[in-house]
Amino acid sequence: MSHDDETDGYGSGVGGTGQTRTRLPEGTAGDIYGGARRPSRNSRSLVTLVGVVVLLIAAIAFANRGDGTNSPNTTDTAKGTAPTAATGVRPVKGKNAGVPAGYAQDEQGAQSAAANYAVSLGSDGMFNEKQRHDIVTSLADSSTVGKLQAGFDADYSTEFLAQIGLDADGGAPAGTTFVSRTMPVGTKVKKFTGDAAEVDVWCVGLFGLTGEKSTKPVTNGWFTVSVKLNWNGSDWKVLETSQKTGPTPVPGDNPVSGSEEIADAVNNFGGFTYAR
């Protein structure tokens, strides 16, 4: 595994282990919008907005409803659709050690592979040696699996685990829940030659420990994971990964949730298989 010079505190591997500082726009001190404050909405406009959103969601669901006869290799991209639209073939159905597998040998397949691999490499399973080895073995190219294993083992050392409050097996202290989750926001193909690809995956991640006595609360961070892939004859496999900070948006006005609410959300909301 290679490390980008701009790797943030979020990533000793992928997904990370720290906090990302948000750089605010220039302007009046204390005003993140440079002196131009956002107008407040009254209750009537909020109701109207909610109604519009509900109708929009319903319209999108109706437009995307199919008869289930699309072939796995048929794209849904309409003429004029933005390149970042969430369109494409169906997600893969196969898995290897819990990691989605069996991607198409095209740009979309490479993007799907990179996104899913970023999720796996940024998961809490990477903090346990056996699970980490299973994950890396399942997604690494045979030519680099040893190098990647050694790199990740060095990253997730016993000393590092202790530093973030975990035991030698990656377990959280009693009364706490360990959170490490990576969610891709989008993908971008940097290079593609048919049997090799380089894909950037823009992600937001959650990391920390929930619990009343936790001194390392769950934080979020934005980062980009770069994945070099090789087509091994049947699937895309990882040659190398690196990570850098951002792009990071300005935080919203949402109130911070309590530790118990975060733990409940993490335990009850499952992750997704990402595929365009």
Side-chain angles (χ1 to χ4, degrees), residues 187-219:
T187 56
K188 179 179 68 174
V189 176
K190 296 172 66 179
K191 292 182 181 179
F192 184 83
T193 61
D195 58 0
E198 291 185 31
V199 181
D200 280 351
V201 186
W202 184 29
C203 306
V204 60
L206 300 176
F207 186 86
L209 288 167
T210 68
E212 293 182 2
K213 298 182 180 180
S214 172
T215 59
K216 303 179 186 300
V218 178
T219 60

Side-chain angles (χ1 to χ4, degrees), residues 8-18 20 100 111-127 135 139 152 156 178-187 200-208 218-227 241-244 246 266 269-275:
D8 61 0
Y10 233 83
S12 98
V14 175
T17 55
T20 301
Q111 290 179 74
S112 296
N116 282 310
Y117 293 162
V119 171
S120 296
L121 292 172
S123 69
D124 54 6
M126 291 293 289
F127 294 78
I135 291 172
L139 57 79
F152 282 118
Y156 295 95
F178 176 54
V179 182
S180 181
R181 189 177 293 191
T182 295
M183 294 78 70
V185 176
T187 56
D200 280 351
V201 186
W202 184 29
C203 306
V204 60
L206 300 176
F207 186 86
V218 178
T219 60
N220 66 77
W222 292 81
F223 48 93
T224 298
V225 180
S226 296
V227 185
T241 70
S242 60
Q243 180 177 317
K244 64 181 180 181
V266 170
F269 287 84
F272 295 97
T273 293
Y274 291 81

Side-chain angles (χ1 to χ4, degrees), residues 75-86:
T75 62
D76 299 321
T77 305
K79 183 177 181 180
T81 301
T84 55

Side-chain angles (χ1 to χ4, degrees), residues 60-72:
I60 293 173
F62 181 82
N64 289 334
R65 185 175 61 188
D67 60 7
T69 60
N70 290 346
S71 67

Side-chain angles (χ1 to χ4, degrees), residues 24-37:
L24 301 179
E26 296 180 0
T28 305
D31 186 345
I32 62 175
Y33 289 93
R37 297 183 182 277

